[in-house]
Amino acid sequence: MIQKPLKPFEIDPKAFILMVESFIKSYPQHSLELKEIAEKGELELDKLDYFSEKGINFNENNVDYADYTVFWKKYLEIEDILYGNHLIKNSVFESIKPSNNNAIFKTLGVQNISYSLVASKVGIKIELLIKTLRSDIKDKKLFNKLIFDEIKKNQRELNNKFRNLVWDRLDNRMYSRIYFIIEKRSLNNKVNLPRLTIGEMTLKNKNNIYDKMSINSDKFFKIFDPVLKKIDIKKIEKKL
């Protein structure tokens, strides 16, 4: 015999809460189970908040972004809040418009160098991208490598201040990069990594992904900015 699915039923929420309160007084040993149910309910509420945005869905608790704009918009709003509360100092990515790209960029200081947050194949990362767009530089690849080598002179000092940095000269490509993986998570099935979950996105979680991105971006900028300001671009140009 096939059992029919249970139909949704209506109940007076206040009466139900009173029943739960009475239940827990009689059976306090089940309080942890009720707490787990309540936490699941909070996650469902968070999903409803996110579902109001087009371009994002959930497979149970796993996120699926069809449009990266929604992710970057949420992050940029959070960074502004954190900056206002002084939990971060530099607000590296303020005044940036979110887009459907897998990264957001902010060019600061020395020419040809950008800070970027990237949803990549290795996870969500903060990156220093060295890629010149200058039309007056004929050998752009060499120029980028010379800048990378100049920064790398400070590798030991930078590694001591920020562990697990990846130094990627990329000799076969035009650009070079230095990055730190904030979280080994994917935003959809295009990347073969564990999927970001609603629990990791909710702001009630003190260890949520947006806080991690803001704090690590701030720290990354703080250690690299003094180094980049010391680079003599004119001196590097003479080596071309």
Side-chain angles (χ1 to χ4, degrees), residues 107-125:
T107 302
L108 295 171
V110 180
Q111 300 175 60
N112 319 296
I113 297 176
S114 299
Y115 293 93
S116 57
L117 273 169
V118 191
S120 72
K121 292 181 180 180
V122 297
I124 300 169
K125 63 180 180 177

Side-chain angles (χ1 to χ4, degrees), residues 138-151:
K138 294 182 179 180
D139 194 340
K140 292 181 173 59
K141 182 178 178 181
L142 175 59
F143 188 58
N144 292 330
K145 303 312 169 191
L146 289 172
I147 293 176
F148 177 89
D149 293 341
E150 191 67 24
I151 298 171

Side-chain angles (χ1 to χ4, degrees), residues 190-204:
K190 294 179 181 179
V191 175
N192 187 25
L193 285 173
R195 200 73 63 85
L196 193 67
T197 67
I198 183 66
E200 292 171 304
M201 296 165 63
T202 179
L203 302 184
K204 291 187 288 289

Side-chain angles (χ1 to χ4, degrees), residues 33-213:
E33 294 166 83
L34 287 175
K35 184 179 179 181
E36 289 178 1
I37 293 171
E39 289 173 349
K40 288 179 181 178
E42 288 185 9
L43 290 179
E44 292 302 318
L45 282 174
D46 289 332
K47 283 186 192 179
L48 289 175
D49 289 340
Y50 283 102
F51 268 128
S52 64
E53 298 276 3
K54 293 182 179 179
I56 179 172
N57 293 290
F58 289 92
N59 179 6
E60 294 184 351
N61 287 329
N62 295 327
V63 69
D64 187 11
Y65 279 97
D67 187 344
Y68 291 110
T69 307
V70 183
F71 180 72
W72 298 125
K73 178 183 176 184
K74 189 71 175 178
Y75 168 70
L76 292 168
E77 289 173 353
I78 299 304
E79 188 184 63
D80 284 343
I81 293 171
L82 288 171
Y83 183 59
N85 289 334
H86 307 293
L87 292 177
I88 60 174
K89 296 181 180 179
N90 302 300
S91 194
V92 182
F93 297 99
E94 66 178 342
S95 303
I96 291 178
K97 292 183 178 180
S99 70
N100 193 22
N101 296 321
N102 71 320
I104 54 174
F105 299 87
K106 185 69 174 285
T107 302
L108 295 171
V110 180
Q111 300 175 60
N112 319 296
I113 297 176
S114 299
Y115 293 93
S116 57
L117 273 169
V118 191
S120 72
K121 292 181 180 180
V122 297
I124 300 169
K125 63 180 180 177
I126 174 68
E127 177 176 279
L128 194 69
L129 181 66
I130 305 164
K131 182 180 180 182
T132 184
L133 299 176
R134 286 174 53 181
S135 58
D136 61 320
I137 300 295
K138 294 182 179 180
D139 194 340
K140 292 181 173 59
K141 182 178 178 181
L142 175 59
F143 188 58
N144 292 330
K145 303 312 169 191
L146 289 172
I147 293 176
F148 177 89
D149 293 341
E150 191 67 24
I151 298 171
K152 197 173 181 181
K153 291 178 181 178
N154 302 274
Q155 184 176 15
R156 179 178 294 181
E157 176 189 351
L158 291 167
N159 283 346
N160 287 336
K161 292 180 178 179
F162 205 128
R163 295 188 177 183
N164 299 318
L165 289 173
V166 178
W167 297 78
D168 215 350
R169 196 173 191 269
L170 297 169
D171 292 336
N172 296 324
R173 296 192 181 184
M174 180 74 69
Y175 61 90
S176 294
R177 61 192 177 195
I178 306 162
Y179 64 86
F180 169 75
I181 301 172
I182 297 169
E183 200 73 41
K184 293 183 179 180
R185 292 288 186 270
S186 66
L187 302 185
N188 49 44
N189 61 9
K190 294 179 181 179
V191 175
N192 187 25
L193 285 173
R195 200 73 63 85
L196 193 67
T197 67
I198 183 66
E200 292 171 304
M201 296 165 63
T202 179
L203 302 184
K204 291 187 288 289
N205 176 3
K206 293 182 179 179
N207 208 27
N208 70 75
I209 188 63
Y210 303 115
D211 281 19
K212 287 182 179 180
M213 290 163 63

